[in-house]
């Protein structure tokens, strides 16, 4: 049996700074001075359990209508009013949470370290079902009123009945020997379920029965060592204007047609975070901390900014005229969507984003 090794996030952070001997000693870039163009203030704050915990989780909140849904690693699930921060409801699952949060069709979904996917009522947090899928689930699920699609750390995509949690189908991917401790979030596009895997592939299956529709390789493993050959797709894919955008570590960013897997464009990149879009651009934060804007249409680089080099950036988030990224020191940086210049900055938490 092949032994599978999982890299924790702190190892990955070291890898990102080790592409050459000269880079090994380079510290994170110092914050630059600039003239702020926007005012950033704290409207409210709330403390939720122990946050990400100590096992390199990537838990993220979900915003649906007037509420923010938040989970912490110690089992707390809390719903807050997004304007006031007031608690709507809270639930203690008495289990360590590793994946979430997703909200769909009146349900809130999280996953636990012992392999349980948990569905709760979005109205009050009452648990509706729990299903054990045999492996950790580290990313939010994708769901509608009929099907719940789950990606597991051991390289499987599962379809669960949204009403009962009963497994309907399973698709297996061949995981490489060495992979990072993260998974991408699946997509549900009509009757197609799309998953991205540590093999560097994006796979589309029939959401009703799990039968393969198409697969597309975003990255090809290269190099002698298993470290060199890591091509995980760990950041959330983006679905926009009837195209799927995916980016891999040590591979490419790619625009793919969801109906047939045809590649519209690809650009060589290396990232372990997700994507965002705005102003006709697709934004990524690469492994070295460079924020890049590429044309949605053809992948041409419109601008790239390296002022945040080696600061272990979060997924980018585009809104208004800006694209925001968090860093390892707890700063959130706001860059102009027009040309990437620094427009604002705020500190939200010293333990990092």
């Amino acid at each position: 049996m092949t032994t599978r090794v999982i890299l924790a996030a702190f190892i990955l952070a070291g890898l990102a700074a080790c592409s050459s001997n000269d880079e090994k000693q380079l510290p994170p870039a110092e914050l630059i001075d600039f003239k702020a163009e926007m005012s950033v203030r704290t409207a409210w704050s709330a403390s939720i359990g122990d946050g990400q915990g100590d096992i390199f989780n990537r838990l993220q909140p979900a915003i649906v209508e007037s509420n923010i849904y938040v989970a912490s690693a110690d089992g707390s699930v809390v719903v807050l009013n997004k304007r006031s921060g007031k608690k709507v409801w809270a639930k203690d699952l008495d289990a360590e949470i590793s994946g979430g949060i997703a909200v769909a069709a009146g349900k809130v979904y999280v996953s636990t370290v012992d392999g349980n996917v948990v569905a709760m009522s979005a109205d009050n947090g009452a648990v509706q079902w729990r299903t054990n899928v045999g492996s950790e689930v580290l990313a939010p699920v994708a769901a509608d009123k009929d099907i719940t699609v789950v990606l597991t750390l051991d390289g499987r995509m599962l379809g669960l009945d949204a009403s009962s949690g009963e497994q309907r189908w399973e698709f297996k991917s061949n995981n490489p020997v060495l992979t990072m401790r993260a998974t991408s979030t699946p997509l549900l596009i009509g009757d197609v379920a799309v998953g991205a895997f540590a093999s560097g592939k994006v796979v589309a299956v029939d959401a009703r029965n799990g039968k393969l529709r198409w697969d597309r390789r975003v990255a090809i493993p290269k190099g002698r060592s298993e470290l060199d050959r890591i091509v995980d797709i760990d950041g959330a894919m983006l679905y926009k204007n009837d195209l799927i955008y995916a980016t891999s570590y040590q591979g490419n960013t790619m625009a793919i047609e969801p109906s047939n897997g045809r590649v519209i464009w690809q650009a060589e990149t290396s990232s372990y975070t997700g994507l965002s879009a705005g102003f006709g651009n697709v934004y990524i934060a690469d492994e070295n901390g460079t924020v890049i804007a590429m044309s949605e249409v053809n992948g041409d680089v419109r601008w790239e900014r390296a002022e945040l080099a080696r600061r272990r950036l979060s997924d980018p988030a585009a809104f208004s005229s800006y694209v925001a990224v968090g860093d390892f020191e707890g700063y959130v940086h706001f860059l102009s969507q027009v040309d990437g210049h620094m427009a604002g900055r705020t500190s939200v938490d010293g333990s990092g984003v």
Side-chain angles (χ1 to χ4, degrees), residues 31 37 48 113 120 134 156 163 171 185 205 209 228 266 348:
L31 298 181
E37 300 173 7
I48 310 297
V113 295
M120 297 172 285
R156 293 175 296 132
S163 298
F171 175 87
T185 303
V205 304
N209 54 33
D228 292 335
Q266 67 180 45
V348 294

Side-chain angles (χ1 to χ4, degrees), residues 181-255:
R181 182 184 160 76
T183 57
S184 181
T185 303
L187 297 173
L188 261 178
I189 305 171
D191 63 353
V192 176
V194 183
F197 295 92
S199 62
K201 283 187 176 182
V202 173
V203 175
V205 304
D206 191 311
R208 297 164 297 187
N209 54 33
K211 291 184 178 180
L212 180 67
R213 292 279 190 92
W214 53 261
D215 61 15
R216 179 62 57 196
R217 184 169 285 284
V218 177
I220 299 173
K222 299 176 182 177
R224 293 184 176 182
S225 74
E226 295 298 337
L227 286 175
D228 292 335
R229 296 174 63 81
I230 295 174
V231 290
D232 290 46
I233 304 174
D234 288 330
M237 296 176 286
L238 173 69
Y239 177 62
K240 188 172 186 290
N241 295 333
D242 203 31
L243 286 177
I244 298 167
Y245 299 91
T247 188
S248 73
Y249 184 67
Q250 300 186 137
N252 297 288
T253 296
M254 194 172 281

Side-chain angles (χ1 to χ4, degrees), residues 76-345:
S76 299
V77 179
V78 180
V79 184
L80 305 169
N81 180 279
K82 72 178 182 181
R83 296 298 179 190
S84 66
K86 290 183 178 179
K87 188 180 297 182
V88 179
W89 57 258
K91 181 75 173 181
D92 185 357
L93 293 178
D94 194 27
E96 194 168 4
I97 294 175
S98 59
I101 236 172
V103 182
K107 293 183 178 64
V108 179
Y109 294 91
V110 296
S111 305
T112 65
V113 295
D114 54 1
N116 283 317
V117 177
V118 183
M120 297 172 285
S121 166
D123 293 329
N124 55 27
V127 174
Q128 298 189 348
W129 51 259
R130 297 174 189 250
T131 296
N132 192 281
V133 296
S135 178
E136 275 192 275
V137 178
L138 300 181
V141 305
D144 59 22
K145 64 181 181 180
D146 180 57
I147 197 77
T148 302
V149 181
V150 180
L151 282 181
T152 63
L153 187 56
D154 62 357
R156 293 175 296 132
M157 181 161 56
L158 307 175
L160 309 180
D161 186 280
S163 298
S164 65
E166 181 181 355
Q167 183 176 317
R168 288 189 187 174
W169 52 261
E170 176 182 289
F171 175 87
K172 293 182 179 180
S173 174
N174 293 323
N175 263 3
V177 173
L178 192 63
T179 182
M180 292 180 271
R181 182 184 160 76
T183 57
S184 181
T185 303
L187 297 173
L188 261 178
I189 305 171
D191 63 353
V192 176
V194 183
F197 295 92
S199 62
K201 283 187 176 182
V202 173
V203 175
V205 304
D206 191 311
R208 297 164 297 187
N209 54 33
K211 291 184 178 180
L212 180 67
R213 292 279 190 92
W214 53 261
D215 61 15
R216 179 62 57 196
R217 184 169 285 284
V218 177
I220 299 173
K222 299 176 182 177
R224 293 184 176 182
S225 74
E226 295 298 337
L227 286 175
D228 292 335
R229 296 174 63 81
I230 295 174
V231 290
D232 290 46
I233 304 174
D234 288 330
M237 296 176 286
L238 173 69
Y239 177 62
K240 188 172 186 290
N241 295 333
D242 203 31
L243 286 177
I244 298 167
Y245 299 91
T247 188
S248 73
Y249 184 67
Q250 300 186 137
N252 297 288
T253 296
M254 194 172 281
I256 305 168
E257 286 191 348
S259 59
N260 55 22
R262 185 169 73 94
V263 176
I264 303 303
W265 58 260
Q266 67 180 45
E268 186 175 350
T269 54
S270 179
S271 177
Y272 47 85
T273 62
L275 307 96
S276 186
F279 279 33
N281 299 328
V282 173
Y283 301 105
I284 72 165
D286 76 9
E287 60 165 317
N288 297 313
T290 299
V291 182
I292 305 171
M294 294 178 286
S295 166
E296 288 182 13
V297 176
N298 55 25
D300 288 349
V301 174
R302 289 184 167 169
W303 54 259
E304 54 184 277
R305 307 293 292 207
E307 289 91 338
L308 302 174
R310 300 173 300 281
R311 295 191 66 85
R312 305 177 210 165
L313 301 184
S314 70
D315 294 7
F319 73 102
S320 184
S321 299
Y322 310 102
V323 56
V325 288
D327 73 16
F328 78 108
E329 287 187 316
Y331 289 97
V332 178
H333 310 270
F334 300 87
L335 286 66
S336 166
Q337 289 198 56
V338 176
D339 60 9
H341 72 266
M342 197 70 69
R345 179 193 300 146

Side-chain angles (χ1 to χ4, degrees), residues 35-52:
K35 184 178 180 180
E37 300 173 7
M38 60 184 297
S39 174
V40 184
R41 66 179 181 86
T42 300
W44 55 264
S45 65
S47 179
I48 310 297
D50 65 350
Q52 301 284 0

